[in-house]
C-alpha cells in the first residue's frame, strides 16, 4: 500500500509538470477558458499558479515519505533561493508594495509569480531528476514547439489572425517577443536532443526538421534581440567545444567542426551586413527588421534613453530598488522628452538585467545575474553530459542572456529558464550522508495526519490567491462590454463596483477602464441622468482612492485630471494635473493636458501659453507641441511669432492640421482656416464634412454669399451632401 500511494503521488506530479509545457497554448478568450481581461496573459498565469500550488502540495507529501525527492544543496539552488528571498524583501520596501506583490493583468508578475517560480523549481528539480525524465521532458517541450510553429505558419499563411495586428507572428502567446524566446529555448532543447541521439538516424532527421522549423518561426517573429541571442548562443557553443575539449583527442572532429562553424557564422554576419540594403533582404518579412539595426535606429535610440533613465533611477535607490512593477515611477520621473514618438508609459526597461536593478537594487541585479552564473557554471563543469550536450545547454544560457539584454520576461520564458535551472541543479546537487536525519522517511501514521492538513492549506491558499483575481479578470470583461440597451448600464456599473471592492489584482486597470467608460455614458442620449451621475461618482471615488494609495503616480494623476476636464471640472482637475507634472516634469503629454485641455478651455490663455511653450521647448522637433504652442500664440494675439514658427517648420502658415484649424477659427483668422480646408478638398473633393466646415468658415466671417457658394460646390462634388446643403441654404435665405 505504501508503494501504491507514493507511486500515485509521483506520477501525479510528473503528469502535472509535463502538462505545464502546454500552458503556452492557453488563451482565455471564452472558447475553452473563460473570457478574461488580457486573455493571452491571465489564463496562462492563473493556470500556472494553480497547477504549481497543487503540485507543491503533492510534492511535500511525497518528499516527507520518500527522502530521495527532498531538495539537496547546489549553488543553483542557493542562487534561486537568494533571488526569491531578496525579491520579497525589496518588494516589501518598494514604492508600492501592493503592486509589487500582485502586479497587474497585463504582466501578472510581482512577487506572487516569483514565489511560484521558486516552487516550480523545487518540484521540477527534485522529481524530474529523481525519475531521470529530463530527456522525455525536453522532448515533450520540443514537440509542443512544433504545434506552436504550425500555428505560426497558419498565421503567416493568413489562415489565423496575428493578434498584434502586424506581420510579426505571435502564436498563442499574443506577443512576437514572447513567441521568439519560446522558440529560442526549444531550438536549443532540440539541439541538445539532436547531439544526445546523434547515432539514431531517425532522430537526426526529426530534430533537424524541428530545428529548421523553429528557426524559421523565430525569424518571422522579427524580434531582433532574440535572433542575436540565437547567433550568439551558437557561437558560444563553438567556443565552449574548442575550449573544453582541447585535451580530448576523441573530440578532434567536433573541434574542427566548431571552428569551421564559427568561421561560417562570422562570414554570414559579414555578408548579411554588407547586403542589408539589398531590397530582397531589406524588405523581407523575416530579415527586414534585423537589417534595420543601427545606432541611429529609432528603437535603438529609445532603448539607450530608457536605460539612461533606469540608471538615474538605480542611483536614487541602489539598495532596495523601487520594487517589482514600479518602473513606471522611474520612467516618468526621469522621462526624456525626445521619446515623444514612443510608447508613453513604459513599465519595463526592455533589459531584464536593468529591470532587476530597478526591482531590487544592487542585490536584485546580482541575484538575477547569479541565476545565469550558477546554471552556466553547473552545465559547464558537469561530467554527466557529453561535451556536445554541455555545449548546447551552455549556448542556451548565453543566447537567453543576450535576449535579456533587449527584452523583458513573460511567464513562459521564466518557466523555461527555471526548467534549465532545475536541470542544472539536478546535475550538480550534492548527495547527503546516509546517517543524517534529513534522509529518514516520515511514518505512515504521521503522513495520515499531515496529508489532510497540507491539502487544506494548499487548496485554501490556491482559492484565496486565485479565485478573486479570476473573478476580477472575467468581471472586467462584463464591466466594459457595451450593453444592448441603456437599461443594461446598471449591470456594467455593478460589475465595476464588485471588482473595485475585491482583490487588488487588476484594480488599477479597472479604475482606468471606468474612467474611460463613464464619459461615454455621459455622452449617451439614452442613458438617464441618474445612471450618468452614478458612473461619474463611482469613477471619481475609485480614482480618488487609487491616487491616495499610489502617491506620485503620474499616469493616475493625469488620467484623473483628464477625466475631470472631460466633464468641465477644470478647477478640480488642475491640482491633479500639476501633481502629474511634478511626478513627470518633462512629459509633453501632461503639459498638453494642462495647457490645451484645462487652462485654454477654462479661459486662462496666458498661463496656457507658458505651459505649451514649455512643452514645445522640451523638443522643438515635436510637431504636435509646435502646433499647440502656435495655436495658443494665435489665440493670445501674437500672430507674428506664430507665423515665424510655422514658416520655419512647414514653409506655410496653413499646414493641414485640425488643431491649428480650430485655433484659426477661435482667433477669427477665417481666411487661413478656409485655406486649410481648401487644401483638404483639393485632395478629397467628396468629403462632405470638409465642405460643411468650409461653409462654416464663410458663415463665421459674415460672408453669407460665400457660405451659399461653398454649400453649392459641396453639393455638386458630393451628391450625398446635396440634401443637407440645400436645407442649410434654405435656412440662410429664409433668414434674409
Amino acid at each position: 500500500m505504501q508503494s501504491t500511494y507514493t507511486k500515485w503521488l509521483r506520477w501525479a506530479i510528473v503528469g502535472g509538470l509535463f502538462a505545464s509545457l502546454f500552458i503556452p497554448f492557453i488563451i482565455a478568450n471564452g472558447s475553452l477558458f473563460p473570457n478574461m481581461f488580457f486573455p493571452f496573459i491571465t489564463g496562462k498565469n492563473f493556470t500556472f499558479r494553480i497547477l504549481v500550488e497543487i503540485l507543491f502540495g503533492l510534492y511535500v507529501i511525497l518528499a516527507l515519505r520518500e527522502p530521495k525527492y527532498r531538495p539537496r544543496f547546489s549553488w543553483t539552488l542557493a542562487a534561486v533561493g537568494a533571488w526569491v528571498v531578496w525579491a520579497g524583501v525589496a518588494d516589501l520596501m518598494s514604492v508600492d508594495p501592493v503592486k509589487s506583490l500582485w502586479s497587474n493583468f497585463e504582466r501578472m508578475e510581482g512577487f506572487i509569480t516569483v514565489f511560484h517560480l521558486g516552487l516550480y523549481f523545487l518540484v521540477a528539480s527534485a522529481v524530474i531528476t529523481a525519475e531521470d525524465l529530463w530527456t522525455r521532458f525536453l522532448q515533450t517541450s520540443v514537440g509542443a514547439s512544433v504545434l506552436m510553429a504550425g500555428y505560426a505558419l497558419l498565421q503567416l499563411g493568413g489562415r489565423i489572425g496575428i493578434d498584434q495586428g502586424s506581420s510579426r507572428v505571435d502564436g498563442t502567446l499574443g506577443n512576437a517577443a514572447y513567441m521568439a524566446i519560446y522558440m529560442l529555448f526549444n531550438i536549443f532543447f532540440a539541439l541538445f536532443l539532436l547531439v544526445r541521439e546523434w547515432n539514431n538516424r531517425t532522430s537526426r532527421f526529426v530534430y533537424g526538421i524541428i530545428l529548421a522549423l523553429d528557426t524559421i518561426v523565430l525569424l518571422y517573429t522579427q524580434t531582433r534581440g532574440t535572433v542575436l541571442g540565437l547567433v550568439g548562443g551558437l557561437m558560444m557553443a563553438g567556443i565552449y567545444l574548442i575550449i573544453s575539449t582541447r585535451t580530448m583527442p576523441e573530440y578532434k572532429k567536433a573541434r574542427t567542426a566548431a571552428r569551421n562553424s564559427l568561421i561560417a557564422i562570422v562570414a554570414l554576419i559579414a555578408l548579411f551586413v554588407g547586403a542589408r540594403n539589398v531590397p530582397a533582404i531589406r524588405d523581407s518579412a523575416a530579415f527586414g527588421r534585423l537589417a534595420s539595426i543601427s545606432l541611429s535606429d529609432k528603437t535603438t535610440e529609445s532603448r539607450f534613453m530608457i536605460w539612461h533613465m533606469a540608471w538615474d533611477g538605480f542611483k536614487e535607490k541602489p539598495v532596495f530598488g523601487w520594487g517589482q512593477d514600479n518602473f513606471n515611477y522611474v520612467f516618468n520621473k526621469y522621462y526624456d522628452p525626445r521619446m515623444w514618438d514612443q510608447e508613453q508609459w513604459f513599465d519595463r526597461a526592455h533589459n531584464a538585467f536593468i529591470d532587476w536593478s530597478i526591482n531590487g537594487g544592487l542585490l536584485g541585479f546580482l541575484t538575477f545575474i547569479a541565476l545565469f552564473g550558477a546554471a552556466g557554471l553547473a552545465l559547464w563543469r558537469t561530467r554527466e553530459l557529453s561535451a556536445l550536450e554541455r555545449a548546447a545547454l551552455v549556448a542556451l544560457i548565453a543566447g537567453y542572456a543576450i535576449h535579456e539584454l533587449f527584452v523583458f520576461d513573460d511567464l513562459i520564458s521564466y518557466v523555461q529558464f527555471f526548467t534549465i535551472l532545475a536541470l542544472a541543479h539536478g546535475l550538480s546537487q550534492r548527495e547527503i550522508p546516509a546517517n543524517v536525519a534529513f534522509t529518514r522517511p516520515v511514518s505512515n501514521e504521521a503522513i495520515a495526519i499531515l496529508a489532510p492538513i497540507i491539502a487544506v492549506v494548499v487548496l485554501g491558499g490556491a482559492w484565496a490567491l486565485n479565485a478573486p483575481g479570476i473573478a476580477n479578470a472575467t468581471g472586467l470583461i462584463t464591466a466594459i462590454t457595451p450593453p444592448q440597451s441603456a437599461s443594461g448600464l446598471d449591470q456594467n456599473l455593478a460589475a465595476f463596483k464588485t471588482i473595485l471592492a475585491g482583490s487588488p489584482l487588476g484594480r488599477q486597470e479597472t479604475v482606468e477602464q471606468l474612467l474611460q467608460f463613464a464619459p461615454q455614458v455621459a455622452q449617451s442620449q439614452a442613458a438617464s441622468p441618474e445612471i450618468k451621475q452614478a458612473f461619474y461618482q463611482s469613477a471619481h471615488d475609485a480614482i480618488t482612492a487609487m491616487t491616495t494609495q499610489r502617491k506620485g503616480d503620474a499616469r493616475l494623476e493625469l488620467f484623473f485630471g483628464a477625466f475631470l476636464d472631460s466633464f468641465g471640472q477644470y478647477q478640480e482637475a488642475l491640482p491633479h494635473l500639476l501633481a502629474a507634472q511634478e511626478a513627470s516634469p518633462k512629459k509633453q503629454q501632461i503639459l498638453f493636458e494642462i495647457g490645451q485641455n484645462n487652462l485654454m478651455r477654462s479661459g486662462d490663455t496666458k498661463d496656457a501659453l507658458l505651459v505649451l511653450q514649455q512643452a514645445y521647448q522640451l523638443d522643438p522637433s515635436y510637431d504636435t507641441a509646435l502646433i499647440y504652442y502656435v495655436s495658443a500664440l494665435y489665440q493670445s494675439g501674437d500672430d507674428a511669432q506664430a507665423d515665424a514658427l510655422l514658416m520655419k517648420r512647414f514653409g506655410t502658415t496653413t499646414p493641414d492640421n485640425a488643431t491649428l484649424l480650430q485655433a484659426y477659427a477661435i482667433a477669427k483668422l477665417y481666411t487661413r482656416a478656409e485655406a486649410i480646408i481648401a487644401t483638404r478638398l483639393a485632395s478629397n473633393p467628396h468629403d462632405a464634412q470638409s465642405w460643411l466646415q468650409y461653409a462654416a468658415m464663410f458663415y463665421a466671417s459674415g460672408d453669407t454669399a460665400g457660405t451659399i457658394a461653398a454649400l453649392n460646390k459641396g453639393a455638386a462634388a458630393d451628391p450625398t451632401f446635396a440634401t443637407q446643403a440645400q436645407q442649410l441654404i434654405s435656412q440662410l435665405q429664409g433668414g434674409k
Side-chain angles (χ1 to χ4, degrees), residues 502-521:
S503 167
L505 179 56
R507 185 170 296 167
Q508 179 171 339
E509 287 145 320
T510 302
V511 172
E512 292 180 3
Q513 291 295 321
L514 180 54
L515 290 176
Q516 298 176 47
F517 201 90
Q520 297 174 15
V521 174

PDB file of all heavy atoms in Angstrom, residues 502-521:
ATOM      1  N   GLY A 502     -13.015  44.103  -4.516  1.00  0.00           N
ATOM      2  CA  GLY A 502     -12.406  42.792  -4.362  1.00  0.00           C
ATOM      3  C   GLY A 502     -10.894  42.820  -4.292  1.00  0.00           C
ATOM      4  O   GLY A 502     -10.290  43.712  -3.687  1.00  0.00           O
ATOM      5  N   SER A 503     -10.276  41.840  -4.940  1.00  0.00           N
ATOM      6  CA  SER A 503      -8.828  41.651  -4.899  1.00  0.00           C
ATOM      7  C   SER A 503      -8.085  42.848  -5.494  1.00  0.00           C
ATOM      8  O   SER A 503      -8.579  43.494  -6.423  1.00  0.00           O
ATOM      9  CB  SER A 503      -8.457  40.383  -5.685  1.00  0.00           C
ATOM     10  OG  SER A 503      -7.068  40.318  -5.918  1.00  0.00           O
ATOM     11  N   PRO A 504      -6.871  43.156  -4.993  1.00  0.00           N
ATOM     12  CA  PRO A 504      -6.076  44.250  -5.576  1.00  0.00           C
ATOM     13  C   PRO A 504      -5.631  43.962  -7.006  1.00  0.00           C
ATOM     14  O   PRO A 504      -5.299  44.890  -7.739  1.00  0.00           O
ATOM     15  CB  PRO A 504      -4.862  44.340  -4.637  1.00  0.00           C
ATOM     16  CG  PRO A 504      -5.286  43.680  -3.375  1.00  0.00           C
ATOM     17  CD  PRO A 504      -6.238  42.597  -3.783  1.00  0.00           C
ATOM     18  N   LEU A 505      -5.598  42.681  -7.400  1.00  0.00           N
ATOM     19  CA  LEU A 505      -5.130  42.338  -8.735  1.00  0.00           C
ATOM     20  C   LEU A 505      -6.078  42.915  -9.788  1.00  0.00           C
ATOM     21  O   LEU A 505      -7.260  42.603  -9.807  1.00  0.00           O
ATOM     22  CB  LEU A 505      -5.033  40.817  -8.892  1.00  0.00           C
ATOM     23  CG  LEU A 505      -4.577  40.308 -10.263  1.00  0.00           C
ATOM     24  CD1 LEU A 505      -3.229  40.898 -10.653  1.00  0.00           C
ATOM     25  CD2 LEU A 505      -4.504  38.786 -10.265  1.00  0.00           C
ATOM     26  N   GLY A 506      -5.543  43.748 -10.654  1.00  0.00           N
ATOM     27  CA  GLY A 506      -6.336  44.330 -11.730  1.00  0.00           C
ATOM     28  C   GLY A 506      -7.111  45.570 -11.340  1.00  0.00           C
ATOM     29  O   GLY A 506      -7.867  46.113 -12.157  1.00  0.00           O
ATOM     30  N   ARG A 507      -6.898  46.064 -10.128  1.00  0.00           N
ATOM     31  CA  ARG A 507      -7.700  47.208  -9.682  1.00  0.00           C
ATOM     32  C   ARG A 507      -7.377  48.463 -10.481  1.00  0.00           C
ATOM     33  O   ARG A 507      -8.277  49.215 -10.869  1.00  0.00           O
ATOM     34  CB  ARG A 507      -7.488  47.460  -8.192  1.00  0.00           C
ATOM     35  CG  ARG A 507      -8.387  48.559  -7.630  1.00  0.00           C
ATOM     36  CD  ARG A 507      -8.312  48.593  -6.117  1.00  0.00           C
ATOM     37  NE  ARG A 507      -8.830  47.361  -5.539  1.00  0.00           N
ATOM     38  CZ  ARG A 507      -8.655  47.004  -4.268  1.00  0.00           C
ATOM     39  NH1 ARG A 507      -7.950  47.786  -3.462  1.00  0.00           N
ATOM     40  NH2 ARG A 507      -9.160  45.874  -3.807  1.00  0.00           N
ATOM     41  N   GLN A 508      -6.093  48.727 -10.732  1.00  0.00           N
ATOM     42  CA  GLN A 508      -5.752  49.939 -11.490  1.00  0.00           C
ATOM     43  C   GLN A 508      -6.332  49.885 -12.893  1.00  0.00           C
ATOM     44  O   GLN A 508      -6.873  50.876 -13.386  1.00  0.00           O
ATOM     45  CB  GLN A 508      -4.239  50.128 -11.558  1.00  0.00           C
ATOM     46  CG  GLN A 508      -3.853  51.373 -12.368  1.00  0.00           C
ATOM     47  CD  GLN A 508      -2.386  51.723 -12.273  1.00  0.00           C
ATOM     48  OE1 GLN A 508      -1.693  51.325 -11.349  1.00  0.00           O
ATOM     49  NE2 GLN A 508      -1.897  52.481 -13.243  1.00  0.00           N
ATOM     50  N   GLU A 509      -6.233  48.729 -13.542  1.00  0.00           N
ATOM     51  CA  GLU A 509      -6.803  48.612 -14.883  1.00  0.00           C
ATOM     52  C   GLU A 509      -8.316  48.811 -14.861  1.00  0.00           C
ATOM     53  O   GLU A 509      -8.893  49.414 -15.774  1.00  0.00           O
ATOM     54  CB  GLU A 509      -6.443  47.248 -15.474  1.00  0.00           C
ATOM     55  CG  GLU A 509      -4.990  47.170 -15.882  1.00  0.00           C
ATOM     56  CD  GLU A 509      -4.371  45.793 -15.657  1.00  0.00           C
ATOM     57  OE1 GLU A 509      -4.674  45.171 -14.631  1.00  0.00           O
ATOM     58  OE2 GLU A 509      -3.569  45.363 -16.496  1.00  0.00           O
ATOM     59  N   THR A 510      -8.952  48.343 -13.795  1.00  0.00           N
ATOM     60  CA  THR A 510     -10.399  48.543 -13.656  1.00  0.00           C
ATOM     61  C   THR A 510     -10.728  50.020 -13.507  1.00  0.00           C
ATOM     62  O   THR A 510     -11.671  50.529 -14.130  1.00  0.00           O
ATOM     63  CB  THR A 510     -10.931  47.760 -12.445  1.00  0.00           C
ATOM     64  OG1 THR A 510     -10.632  46.374 -12.610  1.00  0.00           O
ATOM     65  CG2 THR A 510     -12.433  47.931 -12.296  1.00  0.00           C
ATOM     66  N   VAL A 511      -9.957  50.718 -12.680  1.00  0.00           N
ATOM     67  CA  VAL A 511     -10.182  52.154 -12.494  1.00  0.00           C
ATOM     68  C   VAL A 511     -10.006  52.895 -13.819  1.00  0.00           C
ATOM     69  O   VAL A 511     -10.821  53.755 -14.186  1.00  0.00           O
ATOM     70  CB  VAL A 511      -9.229  52.716 -11.429  1.00  0.00           C
ATOM     71  CG1 VAL A 511      -9.315  54.237 -11.378  1.00  0.00           C
ATOM     72  CG2 VAL A 511      -9.554  52.127 -10.063  1.00  0.00           C
ATOM     73  N   GLU A 512      -8.950  52.564 -14.545  1.00  0.00           N
ATOM     74  CA  GLU A 512      -8.698  53.250 -15.816  1.00  0.00           C
ATOM     75  C   GLU A 512      -9.800  52.967 -16.832  1.00  0.00           C
ATOM     76  O   GLU A 512     -10.203  53.855 -17.592  1.00  0.00           O
ATOM     77  CB  GLU A 512      -7.331  52.842 -16.356  1.00  0.00           C
ATOM     78  CG  GLU A 512      -6.177  53.352 -15.508  1.00  0.00           C
ATOM     79  CD  GLU A 512      -4.811  52.946 -16.046  1.00  0.00           C
ATOM     80  OE1 GLU A 512      -4.771  52.302 -17.118  1.00  0.00           O
ATOM     81  OE2 GLU A 512      -3.798  53.269 -15.407  1.00  0.00           O
ATOM     82  N   GLN A 513     -10.286  51.741 -16.855  1.00  0.00           N
ATOM     83  CA  GLN A 513     -11.394  51.416 -17.759  1.00  0.00           C
ATOM     84  C   GLN A 513     -12.666  52.173 -17.359  1.00  0.00           C
ATOM     85  O   GLN A 513     -13.418  52.638 -18.222  1.00  0.00           O
ATOM     86  CB  GLN A 513     -11.656  49.908 -17.749  1.00  0.00           C
ATOM     87  CG  GLN A 513     -10.555  49.073 -18.393  1.00  0.00           C
ATOM     88  CD  GLN A 513     -10.420  49.346 -19.876  1.00  0.00           C
ATOM     89  OE1 GLN A 513     -11.401  49.532 -20.590  1.00  0.00           O
ATOM     90  NE2 GLN A 513      -9.185  49.364 -20.352  1.00  0.00           N
ATOM     91  N   LEU A 514     -12.903  52.312 -16.061  1.00  0.00           N
ATOM     92  CA  LEU A 514     -14.073  53.046 -15.585  1.00  0.00           C
ATOM     93  C   LEU A 514     -13.968  54.522 -15.955  1.00  0.00           C
ATOM     94  O   LEU A 514     -14.970  55.161 -16.322  1.00  0.00           O
ATOM     95  CB  LEU A 514     -14.217  52.878 -14.073  1.00  0.00           C
ATOM     96  CG  LEU A 514     -15.392  53.586 -13.389  1.00  0.00           C
ATOM     97  CD1 LEU A 514     -16.721  53.211 -14.043  1.00  0.00           C
ATOM     98  CD2 LEU A 514     -15.410  53.256 -11.898  1.00  0.00           C
ATOM     99  N   LEU A 515     -12.759  55.080 -15.877  1.00  0.00           N
ATOM    100  CA  LEU A 515     -12.553  56.479 -16.257  1.00  0.00           C
ATOM    101  C   LEU A 515     -12.855  56.712 -17.734  1.00  0.00           C
ATOM    102  O   LEU A 515     -13.262  57.813 -18.125  1.00  0.00           O
ATOM    103  CB  LEU A 515     -11.118  56.900 -15.953  1.00  0.00           C
ATOM    104  CG  LEU A 515     -10.726  57.032 -14.479  1.00  0.00           C
ATOM    105  CD1 LEU A 515      -9.259  57.367 -14.353  1.00  0.00           C
ATOM    106  CD2 LEU A 515     -11.580  58.078 -13.781  1.00  0.00           C
ATOM    107  N   GLN A 516     -12.650  55.700 -18.551  1.00  0.00           N
ATOM    108  CA  GLN A 516     -12.980  55.819 -19.973  1.00  0.00           C
ATOM    109  C   GLN A 516     -14.455  55.549 -20.235  1.00  0.00           C
ATOM    110  O   GLN A 516     -15.054  56.140 -21.138  1.00  0.00           O
ATOM    111  CB  GLN A 516     -12.123  54.839 -20.789  1.00  0.00           C
ATOM    112  CG  GLN A 516     -10.633  55.101 -20.710  1.00  0.00           C
ATOM    113  CD  GLN A 516      -9.832  54.052 -21.457  1.00  0.00           C
ATOM    114  OE1 GLN A 516     -10.149  53.698 -22.595  1.00  0.00           O
ATOM    115  NE2 GLN A 516      -8.794  53.537 -20.826  1.00  0.00           N
ATOM    116  N   PHE A 517     -15.028  54.655 -19.458  1.00  0.00           N
ATOM    117  CA  PHE A 517     -16.417  54.246 -19.678  1.00  0.00           C
ATOM    118  C   PHE A 517     -17.397  55.339 -19.232  1.00  0.00           C
ATOM    119  O   PHE A 517     -18.413  55.590 -19.897  1.00  0.00           O
ATOM    120  CB  PHE A 517     -16.699  52.948 -18.914  1.00  0.00           C
ATOM    121  CG  PHE A 517     -17.871  52.163 -19.434  1.00  0.00           C
ATOM    122  CD1 PHE A 517     -17.692  51.210 -20.419  1.00  0.00           C
ATOM    123  CD2 PHE A 517     -19.143  52.370 -18.936  1.00  0.00           C
ATOM    124  CE1 PHE A 517     -18.759  50.475 -20.903  1.00  0.00           C
ATOM    125  CE2 PHE A 517     -20.224  51.636 -19.405  1.00  0.00           C
ATOM    126  CZ  PHE A 517     -20.023  50.685 -20.398  1.00  0.00           C
ATOM    127  N   ALA A 518     -17.096  55.988 -18.119  1.00  0.00           N
ATOM    128  CA  ALA A 518     -18.017  56.978 -17.561  1.00  0.00           C
ATOM    129  C   ALA A 518     -18.297  58.140 -18.520  1.00  0.00           C
ATOM    130  O   ALA A 518     -19.466  58.534 -18.684  1.00  0.00           O
ATOM    131  CB  ALA A 518     -17.487  57.496 -16.224  1.00  0.00           C
ATOM    132  N   PRO A 519     -17.285  58.734 -19.185  1.00  0.00           N
ATOM    133  CA  PRO A 519     -17.585  59.806 -20.140  1.00  0.00           C
ATOM    134  C   PRO A 519     -18.434  59.333 -21.320  1.00  0.00           C
ATOM    135  O   PRO A 519     -19.244  60.109 -21.855  1.00  0.00           O
ATOM    136  CB  PRO A 519     -16.197  60.271 -20.604  1.00  0.00           C
ATOM    137  CG  PRO A 519     -15.286  59.906 -19.487  1.00  0.00           C
ATOM    138  CD  PRO A 519     -15.835  58.619 -18.959  1.00  0.00           C
ATOM    139  N   GLN A 520     -18.269  58.082 -21.726  1.00  0.00           N
ATOM    140  CA  GLN A 520     -19.107  57.555 -22.804  1.00  0.00           C
ATOM    141  C   GLN A 520     -20.567  57.489 -22.370  1.00  0.00           C
ATOM    142  O   GLN A 520     -21.473  57.806 -23.142  1.00  0.00           O
ATOM    143  CB  GLN A 520     -18.612  56.170 -23.215  1.00  0.00           C
ATOM    144  CG  GLN A 520     -17.211  56.147 -23.797  1.00  0.00           C
ATOM    145  CD  GLN A 520     -16.715  54.731 -24.051  1.00  0.00           C
ATOM    146  OE1 GLN A 520     -17.485  53.765 -24.061  1.00  0.00           O
ATOM    147  NE2 GLN A 520     -15.417  54.593 -24.245  1.00  0.00           N
ATOM    148  N   VAL A 521     -20.779  57.092 -21.118  1.00  0.00           N
ATOM    149  CA  VAL A 521     -22.146  57.062 -20.582  1.00  0.00           C
ATOM    150  C   VAL A 521     -22.705  58.483 -20.528  1.00  0.00           C
ATOM    151  O   VAL A 521     -23.873  58.726 -20.864  1.00  0.00           O
ATOM    152  CB  VAL A 521     -22.168  56.410 -19.188  1.00  0.00           C
ATOM    153  CG1 VAL A 521     -23.559  56.507 -18.569  1.00  0.00           C
ATOM    154  CG2 VAL A 521     -21.729  54.959 -19.268  1.00  0.00           C
TER     155      VAL A 521
END
